[in-house]
């Protein structure tokens, strides 16, 4: 007779094994049981081990450690999205009465946080042009606590004056927060250039497969890091173990993917530049890029996978172009395995007036390309064909 009591509500003991799984396991447990109250006490006191998944779990820890390694720092945390990384930093670091300066071409939702949400909490904000450190300097107030920049602007691919802004922050005792999503640690290492806080949308190039929504935040100062972590846990911005597992798996190929996509973006931008109907190609590798010298200084020879171009012929040409490239997803995201095309005038920048977009150099014929991992020649052929079709419209 089988003596084992049958009780399906009991969870079986995990089988022990002297061998270890080669692949990172997924740990979905929300709670962790402790040996006794003294043990739990000790855990809370020294912060060791796991208690409750919102406060941390193994899949978030291993993913954070991987990104820490790339950024050359320790103690980073994973958040439920790139925006919750921005949110955790703002909630952890800022208080009513502070002033924050943001680059005027930040990611759309970050801009919204700056202009609509922070003011509701009594935090003043100003937007200024990050390609001009003097414009940033002019926006500084006695209560300026933080400056928020992205190294490469989206979708205009302008390069911020990172050294100029870092020098200002150092001189005036202001925290420098860098959103390193576009550049990734492969093109730019913010902590080597004076940053205090770095965030990522891990959703994009780091995870790299458009199947997990996650963020990462880290501060160089451990006290600041604790505040950001407390905000993450308290406001419940924390990530799912499954997403962390996917991202950690995706990151195994991050460097290879980045290098391949970057080389293809360089080749593609060179190929498109000479075509009939092309009025502009923006990629940091191009000698005619408006910030070419600064691109070389800030990014070295790592121009990245993001580029933009403009075709003549306005909306009609844009419609014809996307229809003639059915294998290139027309989708407002970036960093996927496949190349994606986005059209700022009908998506990210649709709220602006046509004149507003024109000031930014974003016409109806303007496209952003997140270059992926396809055969470069195939991709060049597809886009060359689509551009030719756009000019018949
Ligand atoms: C996508 C993105 C974000 C927001 O990240 P989510 O994961 O979508 O919340 C923030 N900054 C930049 C530069 C981005 O591209």
């Amino acid at each position: 007779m089988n003596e084992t009591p049958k009780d399906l509500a009991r969870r079986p003991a995990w089988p022990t094994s002297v061998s270890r799984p080669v692949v990172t396991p997924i740990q979905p447990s929300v709670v962790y049981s402790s040996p006794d109250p003294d043990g739990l006490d000790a855990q809370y006191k020294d912060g060791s081990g796991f208690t409750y998944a919102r406060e941390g779990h193994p899949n978030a820890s291993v993913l954070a450690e991987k990104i820490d390694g790339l950024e050359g720092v320790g103690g980073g945390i994973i958040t439920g999205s790139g925006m919750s990384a921005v949110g955790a930093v703002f909630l952890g670091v800022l208080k009513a009465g502070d002033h924050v300066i943001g680059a005027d071409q930040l990611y759309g939702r970050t801009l919204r946080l700056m202009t609509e949400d922070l003011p509701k909490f009594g935090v003043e904000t100003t937007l200024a042009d990050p390609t001009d450190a003097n414009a940033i300097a002019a926006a500084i107030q006695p209560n300026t606590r933080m400056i928020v920049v992205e190294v490469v602007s989206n979708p205009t691919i302008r390069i911020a004056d990172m050294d100029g802004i870092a020098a200002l922050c150092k001189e005036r005792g202001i925290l420098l927060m860098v959103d390193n999503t576009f550049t990734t640690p492969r093109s730019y290492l913010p902590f080597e250039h004076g940053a205090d806080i770095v965030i990522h949308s891990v959703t994009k190039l780091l995870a790299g497969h458009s199947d997990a929504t996650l963020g990462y935040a880290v501060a160089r100062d451990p006290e600041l890091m604790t505040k950001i972590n407390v905000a993450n846990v308290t406001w419940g911005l924390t990530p799912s173990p499954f997403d962390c597992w996917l991202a950690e798996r995706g990151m195994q190929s991050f460097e290879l993917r980045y290098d391949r996509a970057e080389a293809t973006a360089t080749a593609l931008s060179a190929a498109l530049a000479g075509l009939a109907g092309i009025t502009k190609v923006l990629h940091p590798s191009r000698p005619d890029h408006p910030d070419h010298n600064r691109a070389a200084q800030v990014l070295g020879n790592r121009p990245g996978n993001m580029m933009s171009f403009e075709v003549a012929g306005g909306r009609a040409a844009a419609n014809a172009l996307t229809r003639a490239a059915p294998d290139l997803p027309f989708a407002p995201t970036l960093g996927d395995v496949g190349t994606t095309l986005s059209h700022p005038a009908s998506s990210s920048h649709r709220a602006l007036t046509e004149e507003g977009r024109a000031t930014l150099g974003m016409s109806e014929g303007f496209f952003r390309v997140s270059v992926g991992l396809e055969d470069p020649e195939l991709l060049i052929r597809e886009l060359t064909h689509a551009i030719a079709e756009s000019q018949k419209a």
Side-chain angles (χ1 to χ4, degrees), residues 105 153-158 279-282 290 307-311 342-345 349 352-368:
Q105 297 305 313
S153 70
N154 171 28
T156 46
I157 320 287
R158 296 296 305 266
T279 47
K280 184 157 60 185
V281 175
L282 291 167
M307 56 175 285
S308 295
F309 68 87
E310 183 187 57
V311 287
S342 75
H343 182 249
H349 291 71
L352 299 186
T353 61
E354 198 159 345
E355 298 80 63
R357 285 194 292 267
T359 320
L360 297 173
M362 234 179 277
S363 69
E364 283 287 345
F366 189 82
F367 283 90
R368 186 194 73 183

Side-chain angles (χ1 to χ4, degrees), residues 148-160:
V148 182
V149 281
E150 291 167 23
V151 184
V152 175
S153 70
N154 171 28
T156 46
I157 320 287
R158 296 296 305 266
I159 315 291

Side-chain angles (χ1 to χ4, degrees), residues 19-311:
S19 53
R20 294 166 19 138
V22 172
V23 173
T24 309
I26 304 179
Q27 180 48 273
S29 192
V30 170
V31 280
Y32 293 79
S33 76
S34 303
D36 52 38
D38 277 354
L40 187 57
D41 240 9
Q43 234 176 302
Y44 275 120
K45 274 188 196 127
D46 65 16
S48 69
F50 301 101
T51 52
Y52 189 71
R54 182 168 33 70
E55 318 251 334
H57 53 73
N59 291 99
S61 294
V62 295
L63 177 59
E65 214 177 298
K66 233 176 207 185
I67 305 175
D68 283 352
L70 289 179
E71 289 290 2
V73 68
I77 55 166
I78 303 300
T79 62
S81 65
M83 282 317 299
S84 47
V86 178
V89 170
F90 286 174
L91 291 165
V93 175
L94 302 174
K95 60 177 187 327
D98 285 342
H99 173 246
V100 182
I101 300 170
D104 56 4
Q105 297 305 313
L106 290 171
Y107 182 71
R109 285 281 155 187
T110 311
L111 274 183
R112 195 206 129 99
L113 264 187
M114 299 277 308
T115 55
E116 312 262 332
D117 299 65
L118 287 183
K120 285 199 298 198
F121 292 94
V123 175
E124 269 186 279
T125 62
T126 308
L127 302 179
D129 178 3
T131 64
D132 176 7
N134 291 327
I136 299 283
I140 294 176
Q141 300 179 181
N143 58 341
T144 303
R145 173 91 169 117
M146 189 190 285
I147 295 177
V148 182
V149 281
E150 291 167 23
V151 184
V152 175
S153 70
N154 171 28
T156 46
I157 320 287
R158 296 296 305 266
I159 315 291
D161 182 358
M162 296 306 295
D163 289 344
I165 296 169
L168 274 177
C169 286
K170 190 164 179 211
E171 185 189 309
R172 310 288 287 268
I174 298 168
L175 295 170
L176 175 57
M177 166 172 159
V178 177
D179 178 339
N180 206 23
T181 300
F182 255 55
T183 24
T184 82
R186 204 106 177 109
S187 281
Y188 189 73
L189 288 166
F191 290 118
E192 287 190 0
H193 297 93
D196 298 288
I197 298 166
V198 171
I199 73 103
H200 277 279
S201 170
V202 178
T203 314
K204 311 290 172 55
L205 288 145
L206 292 180
H209 294 70
S210 292
D211 54 12
T213 304
L214 290 170
Y216 164 87
V218 70
R220 191 163 35 189
D221 170 11
E223 260 178 56
L224 214 53
M225 190 63 238
T226 301
K227 291 180 180 172
I228 295 168
N229 188 35
V230 167
N232 191 39
V233 168
T234 306
W235 291 76
L237 309 174
T238 41
S240 140
F242 291 98
D243 279 358
C244 292
W245 184 86
L246 279 168
E248 191 264 331
R249 183 188 204 262
M251 275 191 71
Q252 291 167 8
S253 61
F254 161 66
E255 295 187 331
L256 289 172
R257 285 188 282 104
Y258 193 77
D259 294 0
R260 160 83 174 211
E262 178 181 66
T264 303
T266 301
L268 179 64
S269 58
L272 296 195
L275 298 179
I278 286 283
T279 47
K280 184 157 60 185
V281 175
L282 291 167
H283 185 248
S285 66
R286 305 254 334 131
D288 61 357
H289 186 283
D291 307 311
H292 183 67
N293 289 337
R294 185 181 293 152
Q297 173 220 326
V298 173
L299 307 175
N301 59 351
R302 303 313 312 251
N305 79 314
M306 300 300 298
M307 56 175 285
S308 295
F309 68 87
E310 183 187 57
V311 287

